[in-house]
Every structure is written in structure tokens, then in C-alpha cells.
Amino acid sequence: FRATSADGLARFLWQQRDRLAVDTETSRDGPWNCRLYRIGFGTDRDVAIYAPRSCVDGRPLLSEGEEEAQRCVVADFFARTTTRLPLHNWFQFDSIVLHRHGMPIDDAKVFDTLVAHAKGRTSELPHELGFVASQYTDAPAWKRSPTDDDDMDRYLADDVANTWAVADPVWRELARLNVGLYPRTLAGVDASGESRDLTQQEIYEVVKRSGPKIRGRLGVRSEIEAMRS
């Protein structure tokens, strides 16, 4: 459902679950310049959608006050939840979009199903969500270019449901291989000289300085290496 009130959205988000899939829908301008049209949250059964703007013409779909109230609900949920949050392509796309719009998520809460699928025996296969879902679910093909706002809601609901569905089998495959989710090649050095992982904020600032031509974390390796020394 498309959330019409901040209270209703909050009630949905704070239901007890072992995991809650998240996905964003934006204009086709890349993570640094895009407009945010939707954030979807849900399982394979229920999906709630924060929809601040139309995907057709960019007009507001909520009043200014309601849009900000719902944004604050989402930001608070991301900050305080302990629920595992599967996203597909979190590091290269959604992390930047959500950070830009004031709703960041700590990496430790996220399970990036794209990164996970790129490990182990599936590493040489395609990693787009449509393909991953075809391997682990019986969901029909749904990928398309939405034609209007109602169609975008349906499309996003399918994205969220399939991200939720593939998270568990992909997670089990990682556990079987006994490998971590992230390569952790992007590391820094703390004040005592010990190696540590860069925080999402540090990664964000490095990428921001590098300009919009950089796509995600992997494009800033040289600058991150300089931060190590």
C-alpha cells in the first residue's frame, strides 16, 4: 500500500520481523543527481511505500508537512531498528540515494543481495535482481519501465518482495561457503595504527569529493588507499 499517513507507515515498519526488504525508485539520473520517487519496505506478502513524488512529472504526491513527517519516520526507523534489511545494490546505489535524502542506514544492518550473489559459486552469473529471483523463486518476470504511478507502485512491490525472497537462500549460500558478505578491501587505519573498516559516512565523503562520475565505492579505491597511509 502507498502510505497516506506517517502514523500508518510507522505502524507497518515497527512490526516484529526477522527481515524487512527495502528498495528505492528514482529518476534515471544516477544516485548523485536523481529524484527520489519511492521507498518500498516489506516482505513477500506485504509492502508499504513512501511515495513523495510522481514518477510521471515529479509533482508532489504528499503535502509538504506529510512528506517530511513520513521522511522522519523512515529516518528514525533506519536509525533505531535492529531488523536485518536486505537491499539489492545497496552499496553502489541505494546507500547514496538514501544518504542524500537524509535517511542513511548503517552498513551493519544491511544485507546487500547483489554483493552476496557475486561471491562463491554464483560469482560468474548475472547479478541483476530479475535473474537472481529466477534462480531462487518461482516469481514471474516483472522487470519493465513503469508507465504511471500506480504501475510504479506495483513494480516496486515486486522488487521488494523478490529482494525479501532471495535474501534467505543467498544468505544460506554464504554461510555454507563460510565467507563474509563484504570483501572489506575498503579499509582505513585508526589513530592507534590498527586497520579498520571505513564507515559509510567516510565512504560517502570520499565519493562526494570525487564527483558524480564515480559510481559507488569501488571507484574511489585510490583515494581510500591514500587515507590508509
Side-chain angles (χ1 to χ4, degrees):
F1 68 94
R2 189 189 298 177
T4 58
S5 73
D7 288 344
L9 180 58
R11 283 194 297 271
F12 180 88
L13 292 177
W14 287 105
Q15 293 176 28
Q16 187 66 36
R17 304 178 181 89
D18 66 333
R19 67 184 185 275
L20 186 73
V22 180
D23 190 33
T24 63
E25 294 296 338
T26 69
S27 59
R28 303 292 184 179
D29 302 309
W32 290 103
N33 300 301
C34 63
R35 279 186 168 187
L36 177 63
Y37 293 147
R38 304 283 193 280
I39 306 176
F41 318 84
T43 67
D44 61 342
R45 294 180 178 274
D46 300 294
V47 175
I49 298 172
Y50 165 56
R53 295 192 173 274
S54 169
C55 68
V56 177
D57 54 17
R59 73 184 187 281
L61 296 177
L62 300 167
S63 69
E64 184 176 347
E66 184 60 35
E67 178 180 339
E68 177 62 11
Q70 290 192 30
R71 188 198 67 79
C72 288
V73 163
V74 174
D76 177 66
F77 174 74
F78 285 160
R80 296 195 294 120
T81 187
T82 58
T83 300
R84 183 159 55 113
L85 303 173
L87 290 95
H88 199 79
N89 202 19
W90 158 254
F91 281 111
Q92 293 194 36
F93 191 83
D94 299 294
S95 65
I96 299 170
V97 173
L98 291 174
H99 199 296
R100 281 182 52 229
H101 289 86
M103 294 169 281
I105 310 176
D106 188 330
D107 284 351
K109 300 178 182 181
V110 172
F111 179 58
D112 189 331
T113 50
L114 185 151
V115 172
H117 191 258
K119 285 180 169 287
R121 66 183 180 85
T122 57
S123 62
E124 299 302 317
L125 296 175
H127 307 303
E128 294 84 359
L129 180 58
F131 178 84
V132 178
S134 75
Q135 303 300 295
Y136 293 113
T137 79
D138 58 359
W142 78 97
K143 287 295 187 180
R144 62 186 183 279
S145 295
T147 57
D148 55 36
D149 285 308
D150 289 339
D151 192 37
M152 173 161 277
D153 289 347
R154 292 188 292 269
Y155 176 84
L156 176 57
D158 285 338
D159 269 357
V160 170
N162 281 285
T163 299
W164 187 93
V166 304
D168 198 49
V170 172
W171 180 276
R172 288 199 304 268
E173 178 65 14
L174 283 185
R176 185 186 71 80
L177 294 171
N178 194 29
V179 297
L181 175 56
Y182 309 123
R184 295 304 188 190
T185 56
L186 306 184
V189 178
D190 64 20
S192 66
E194 295 296 322
S195 294
R196 65 172 177 83
D197 296 332
L198 290 180
T199 65
Q200 177 66 31
Q201 179 65 31
E202 289 170 325
I203 292 291
Y204 178 83
E205 292 300 330
V206 169
V207 177
K208 185 176 180 180
R209 290 197 303 272
S210 300
K213 65 181 180 179
I214 301 300
R215 302 300 180 192
R217 290 172 137 181
L218 300 183
V220 295
R221 185 181 302 274
S222 61
E223 191 165 350
I224 292 171
E225 290 295 334
M227 292 177 68
R228 282 174 152 178
S229 58

